[in-house]
Amino acid sequence: MAAKKKAAKAQKAAMRARYNPYVQQVIDDEDLRDNLVQAYESARHAYQRLSNGKSPGKQIFDDKRLQKHIREAAYNVKDATVALHEAPRKRSGGGGFKRLILLGIVGTGVALAVSEGLRKKVLDALFGAEEEFEYTSTTSSPSTTSPPAGTAA
């Protein structure tokens, strides 16, 4: 009996999903499907390059292929989002630059959070190298001083 109820619930959910306007648009729009597939592939390639055992912070800044895969995934996701909203906006001239700046800021934050060596390099570049010094007291220790004149001991 419980299996029939589960099957009925699953069928209702499938019917609701089938007639959902977003799902309908994915079914009908070949360009949207292509954008989603390309976004997935680019993200998968970026993840594979990022999880190869090297320092993620260093890879984000130095690995041009990783940057390319991340950029492609972002562009494809954006194109899919615009297509889903059915209101393709006119592309502004600064949109790509803003996205690149945002990607740079996010990438920098991730790299600094993950890599201690990178944090040290950035702090050294901003504030100068940390100087090591030994502290020597210019006052004498209290055990070797004599009591002040005029006091009774």
Side-chain angles (χ1 to χ4, degrees):
M1 189 73 168
K4 287 184 181 181
K5 286 184 180 181
K6 285 185 181 181
K9 280 185 180 181
Q11 184 180 11
K12 281 184 182 179
M15 292 304 286
R16 276 190 300 231
R18 172 68 175 94
Y19 294 108
N20 181 306
Y22 295 111
V23 174
Q24 191 66 39
Q25 190 168 358
V26 169
I27 291 170
D28 294 339
D29 191 348
E30 186 175 343
D31 290 336
L32 175 60
R33 285 192 310 270
D34 288 343
N35 283 334
L36 291 172
V37 169
Q38 289 172 0
Y40 170 76
E41 290 294 323
S42 295
R44 188 172 58 92
H45 289 300
Y47 178 75
Q48 286 174 344
R49 290 196 69 81
L50 196 59
S51 63
N52 67 359
K54 295 180 184 175
S55 167
K58 183 173 172 74
Q59 282 186 301
I60 288 174
F61 289 112
D62 297 340
D63 192 343
K64 298 298 181 194
R65 280 192 184 152
L66 174 64
Q67 294 170 0
K68 177 185 155 204
H69 290 307
I70 292 171
R71 190 172 28 258
E72 286 174 355
Y75 288 143
N76 288 318
V77 167
K78 180 190 176 272
D79 290 344
T81 303
V82 168
L84 278 174
H85 284 296
E86 292 185 338
R89 288 177 273 162
K90 209 165 79 174
R91 293 185 183 235
S92 61
F97 182 70
K98 289 178 186 176
R99 189 175 336 166
L100 184 62
I101 294 294
L102 178 63
L103 182 63
I105 290 170
V106 169
T108 302
V110 168
L112 289 174
V114 171
S115 173
E116 182 179 349
L118 185 62
R119 277 194 305 271
K120 285 183 179 180
K121 284 182 183 178
V122 169
L123 290 174
D124 287 348
L126 290 174
F127 302 112
E130 202 175 282
E131 295 179 23
E132 293 189 21
F133 62 92
E134 282 189 35
Y135 176 76
T136 55
S137 175
T138 57
T139 61
S140 58
S141 66
S143 62
T144 61
T145 60
S146 60
T151 60

